[in-house]
Amino acid sequence: MSRKREIHLGLFLQGAGHHVSGWRHPHAEAGSENFDLLRRVSQIAEKAKFDMVFLADGLTSGVDAHPSTIARFEPLTLLAALALVTDKIGLAATSSTTYGEPYHTARAFSSIDHLSQGRAAWNIVTTSYARTANNFSKSHPEHDERYAVAEEFVDVVRGLWDSWDDDAFIKNKQSGVYADPAKVHVLDHKSKFYSVKGPLNIPRSPQGHPILIQAGSSGPGQDLAARTADVVFTAQQSLAEAQAFYKSLKERVVKLGRKADDVAVMPGFLPVIGRTAKEAADKLAELDQWTDLKSAMPLLEERIGHSLTDYDPDGPLPDLPISDQLRSRAELLTALARRENLTIRQLALRVAAGRGHHIMLGTPVEIADRMQEWFDGRAADGFNVMPPFFPEGLEDFTQLVVPILQERGLFRTEYSGSMLRDHLGLARPALPSV
Amino acid sequence: MSRKREIHLGLFLQGAGHHVSGWRHPHAEAGSENFDLLRRVSQIAEKAKFDMVFLADGLTSGVDAHPSTIARFEPLTLLAALALVTDKIGLAATSSTTYGEPYHTARAFSSIDHLSQGRAAWNIVTTSYARTANNFSKSHPEHDERYAVAEEFVDVVRGLWDSWDDDAFIKNKQSGVYADPAKVHVLDHKSKFYSVKGPLNIPRSPQGHPILIQAGSSGPGQDLAARTADVVFTAQQSLAEAQAFYKSLKERVVKLGRKADDVAVMPGFLPVIGRTAKEAADKLAELDQWTDLKSAMPLLEERIGHSLTDYDPDGPLPDLPISDQLRSRAELLTALARRENLTIRQLALRVAAGRGHHIMLGTPVEIADRMQEWFDGRAADGFNVMPPFFPEGLEDFTQLVVPILQERGLFRTEYSGSMLRDHLGLARPALPSV
Ligand SMILES: Cc1cc2nc3c(=O)[nH]c(=O)nc-3n(C[C@H](O)[C@H](O)[C@H](O)COP(=O)(O)O)c2cc1C
Ligand SMILES: Cc1cc2nc3c(=O)[nH]c(=O)nc-3n(C[C@H](O)[C@H](O)[C@H](O)COP(=O)(O)O)c2cc1C
């Protein structure tokens, strides 16, 4: 793409907000199952010309979980519903390769791409938490095996998306030919983990392939992204770390013969916006005051993969082996604790606020500056915006920060196309020649 | 329920119509992936006060398949989208217990029940066609094993739907309690086929449980229905057969301690409506003329479970063992061929027109009479209406037949409630006492 490089923005949508205590703010609406709230918030993001709405997902629940994840809509049905109340904004949902079936996944995202006229995206995850297996009558595979499965899973899905030529469904009433037999391709995939014949029972979708997002930042995660993804969602704490990740990822992309620009790197960040730096800090403190160690610790422990009950919360994070299951997140949090000399309590609070993502605190200009610094400094091609609570946390961002980015020519003032692929500046994939 | 017995009506929605050649009619719109058509048609059914829209499903494709099934929306995402463009009508989709996971299924239907404010229904099938297994890296289980799996699958789903009390999500900003720990129930299911811990990550849905429909009419199929279903969808060719099935099913229901009225039996039927009987017959002949043996035979063969290429199409159906995989449908078609002395060609044409469901041919009054005869004669509590093509085939029915049923006091003129459960006259299931 020769067009000017612009920041991409995702709205990371969570019913009860991203800060663990966000829902307790007097202005917060907490709606895990409140479709009306999610609809309004998605429309706010669309009005601000965001690239996409983004839904994370998990397959477990419990009262100790982050309130946004105790109970929520099933993401694919939610995305289909959001397709009907929005026009232009992309629609991304998370679906696991460890707990899914390629045929179902290929079909559901294609279906959403049809329903939304070309706005669907699949966030590919391998599922971090081993307890998920308890809901699926199986055991949780090891980290690297999960990625081996994911590599094959994604290939099957992409193959199924190419089952039919774009013009296969001719529906000729005179000749009686509904689907042209010369334009169907039987996948006949048989490999280590999957055997999937095809063809898929849905026409090729408006985008050709729905957009592929990858979230998981270890070496194997980056390899999967470099080979298959259009967008990488990642958690990065500091500019330097983000730059290192960005470089590592783009090098892998180029090594595989793709262009560095073919993959957009989008770290998550949690904006806390004030008229002054002090007002922003006070806002965060207001939210943090509602977070006690009891609610914060499980969030830290599940991301570190170790129980910390035997350690002094006001002492340093002990030296613990990096959990293989959780690799990139466990490394990130350990590095953060070491770098900033955080106690367990401080680290737990940080996770409760941003779950390992960067927290941007400041005035609108300061936040725009930081975003520009990351963008110009090749730490990010865009950001997955994580408002601490809804809808106000998003409105602050769209009303106060977005106009600054637009004035600086860093962010669109209008959509130039109608598909997510257009927003990302990506060409429609051709059918593989036979 | 002490209220007056009334006919229940489902609209069996298929993009390219139900008659295999319906889409070739000059007035037909053929839209497997045409959401706008499906939306309009669903709204017509809602205006006519139908109980529900019904989506069948399959997990294979091929150019020889019925045009409505070569390519279609994934049903759960389609249902979520239809929820946003309708208000009162129930929304039923098929999902297989043989190719699904209870946690995913429970969650998706609960999500649709929330999105539609209480209108979701799950049509439980075990999947007839063994070739489906080729898309799922496994082998197709035997008929009775499929039902054994289904029995346990449905129990897990119902258990997961009761994970949370209706008032569990208190979201108290002062106390900081989002979900009341006393109101969550961990299922901890461990049995022959599934081990699913729970709880489900979505609140209990508006209907308590989405409505359960069962389709599969063998003995094991009826047992599953008698124990778990609210509605039974079935294919019946003659009044006598339908009465026998109705009786058999209701006896099983009562034997299990449920009330006969707790389960509505709804055979499918394909209405072909004319101003005169002759006009109706001509209409069907017009559609049938477009059906050649080449397109009809695969539909018959897959329902009989045998290749018929070695037999004279103008001779009788040979004596073939009933395919165990397809039991009830293979029995029904064999009985039909014997009773009416049909040749293979005639039987294939019949299947191409109605796929084993009853074809009602006649004037609006004749069709209303037939429906009343089945309803009063305890052959049916309602019908799944299968227009030969869309939208005209449905409009004929809603404009010409529905008013007659309403005049006779057999069908509602207004919805009395807003949930599918209300339309069916069923109480909301209480939570099991602990
Ligand atoms: C930024 C980010 C977002 C993620 N989002 C999800 C998610 O929504 N659901 C999920 O099950 N796993 C999610 N994961 C987990 C990954 O898919 C993966 O299983 C885990 O991070 C371990 O892989 P890694 O070491 O490559 O990061 C996410 C990971 C990252 C880094
Ligand atoms: C009226 C009816 C509708 C059915 N609809 C579907 C369907 O939409 N998708 C599917 O995979 N199987 C469907 N089935 C197949 C059944 O789930 C079952 O696998 C098959 O009929 C064999 O069981 P039986 O002998 O009990 O009928 C249907 C069966 C009947 C009788």
Side-chain angles (χ1 to χ4, degrees), chain B residues 12 54-59 72 94 96 123-129 143 146-147 214-222 233-235 324-329 357:
Chain B
F12 190 164
F54 177 94
L55 306 172
D57 194 43
L59 300 164
R72 46 181 157 179
T94 295
S96 170
N123 179 39
I124 307 161
V125 300
T126 61
T127 304
S128 335
Y129 304 132
H143 183 275
R146 295 207 307 276
Y147 276 110
Q214 192 279 348
S217 298
S218 64
Q222 291 182 50
F233 175 40
T234 182
D324 191 52
Q325 290 293 8
L326 305 161
R327 202 171 309 163
S328 81
R329 196 67 64 102
H357 292 276

Side-chain angles (χ1 to χ4, degrees), chain A residues 12 54-59 94 96 123-129 143 146-147 214-222 233-235 324-329 357:
Chain A
F12 190 163
F54 177 93
L55 306 173
D57 194 43
L59 300 164
T94 295
S96 169
N123 179 38
I124 306 162
V125 301
T126 62
T127 304
S128 336
Y129 303 132
H143 184 274
R146 295 208 307 276
Y147 275 110
Q214 194 277 350
S217 298
S218 63
Q222 290 183 49
F233 175 41
T234 182
D324 191 53
Q325 289 293 7
L326 304 163
R327 203 172 307 165
S328 80
R329 195 68 64 101
H357 293 275

Side-chain angles (χ1 to χ4, degrees), chain B residues 396-411:
Chain B
D396 283 353
F397 184 82
T398 58
Q399 287 167 16
L400 304 174
V401 180
V402 167
I404 302 176
L405 299 175
Q406 288 171 329
E407 270 164 41
R408 294 182 187 176
L410 292 169
F411 185 63

